[in-house]
Structure formats: structure tokens, C-alpha cells
Amino acid sequence: MPRFRAAFLDRDGTLNVEIQYLHRVQDFEWIPGAVESVRRLNEAGVLVLVVTNQAGIAHGKYTERDVHALHDHMRRELEEHGAHVDRFYFCPFHPEGVIPEYRRASRCRKPNAGMLEQGMSDWELGPDECVMVGDKNSDVEAGLSLGVQTVLVETGYGAEHSKTTRANRVVADIVAATDLILSP
């Protein structure tokens, strides 16, 4: 039985190559080993919950529809490899946004823990059953604020953030994070 029931995974820089304001399917690229990592988590019975800040919506760079289309693309590609994400959570808000309905502070915007709290509620999870994996200290802080174990990957912004992180562990990438999650 795996050590954790759920892995909260950041999206950009953790599962896919970091591209600022990524929203077009044609620009999407998996980080090497990410698809296999998701499949391994699925096979071990670990819930895969993606939690991603999407401030580009508030900044008028793209829409919620674009985010859903990108997540649908990810689902299709994962399904081709026998893998899946159990649920995607995203936060469209930013206090400096240009789109009025999205211009506000929000508990869902990491480093706040709203998306993790929602996932823990939706799936009836305790903090000791969860791990948060991401490439930014905002991902780490969201997890730490709830007592969730945290792993910083050095892909995306991770190499830079590793110098100042409070993460429980720092690893090279999602493959190494998956190895850690699945270790006894």
C-alpha cells in the first residue's frame, strides 16, 4: 500500500515544460517521464490531483475555456498511455488582473491552500495522506500550511527556488518525485 493516498501536482514546470501563460495545445510539451509518472501513481492507487494557478485568465491572456481545452488535451494524451488525472483544480484569480470578475485575492491562489483544501474535502483526505509536488516555493508553502509533505522538483522554476525552499525534499524532476512518493 502506498505511503500517500493523494499526490497534488502542480502543472506548469512540474508535469509540462514551463511556458509563461501556456494556453495553446500546440505549445504543450510533457516533461520527460511525466506521463509514465502519472501512470505509475495511478497503478499504485494514488490519486493524481493537479492544482494550478492560472493568472493568465485574470490578466486577459486567455480564458477558462482555453484552460479546459488544455486539460482535455492532457487527459487524451494520458489516456493513450493508460494514465489519468483524477481531477484538475485551477485558480483564475489575481489581485492585479485586468478582467474585473477575476481581479481579486483568492484562497485558491497558491501559496494559499484553497485548491488543496478543496481536493482534501472532495476526496476525504487528511494532511498525512497527501503530498504536494511543484516547482515553486508557492507550491511548497501551500502544502506546508496544511501540514502536507512537500517535494520541490528542479524542473521549471525549481532549480532557482531550491536555493530558498522550505520543502521537505528537493528532487530532480517528476520521475524522482514519483519514486519518492511510491517508496515504502
Side-chain angles (χ1 to χ4, degrees), residues 115-136:
M115 288 187 284
L116 279 73
E117 290 169 336
Q118 186 64 56
M120 291 169 75
S121 173
D122 290 348
W123 299 92
E124 299 178 356
L125 299 164
D128 59 325
E129 298 176 294
C130 303
V131 61
M132 173 70 219
V133 180
D135 70 315
K136 291 183 178 176

Side-chain angles (χ1 to χ4, degrees), residues 7-23:
F8 287 96
L9 306 179
D10 176 53
R11 192 187 81 182
D12 302 333
T14 301
L15 290 173
N16 57 271
V17 173
E18 173 65 45
I19 295 175
Q20 191 170 22
Y21 297 123
L22 173 66
H23 65 282

Side-chain angles (χ1 to χ4, degrees), residues 3-74:
R3 193 165 118 200
F4 299 103
R5 279 187 54 215
F8 287 96
L9 306 179
D10 176 53
R11 192 187 81 182
D12 302 333
T14 301
L15 290 173
N16 57 271
V17 173
E18 173 65 45
I19 295 175
Q20 191 170 22
Y21 297 123
L22 173 66
H23 65 282
R24 297 176 345 143
V25 169
Q26 59 265 38
D27 296 331
F28 181 86
E29 179 184 349
W30 291 103
I31 286 178
V35 172
E36 174 71 11
S37 293
V38 171
R39 189 183 59 73
R40 288 176 59 213
L41 292 169
N42 296 152
E43 289 174 349
V46 177
L47 293 166
V48 175
L49 308 172
V50 172
V51 288
T52 178
N53 286 347
Q54 292 299 313
I57 296 168
H59 292 303
K61 305 288 186 188
Y62 50 88
T63 67
E64 285 193 51
R65 177 178 277 174
D66 295 321
V67 173
H68 290 297
L70 190 65
H71 290 167
D72 287 344
H73 170 74
M74 292 173 71

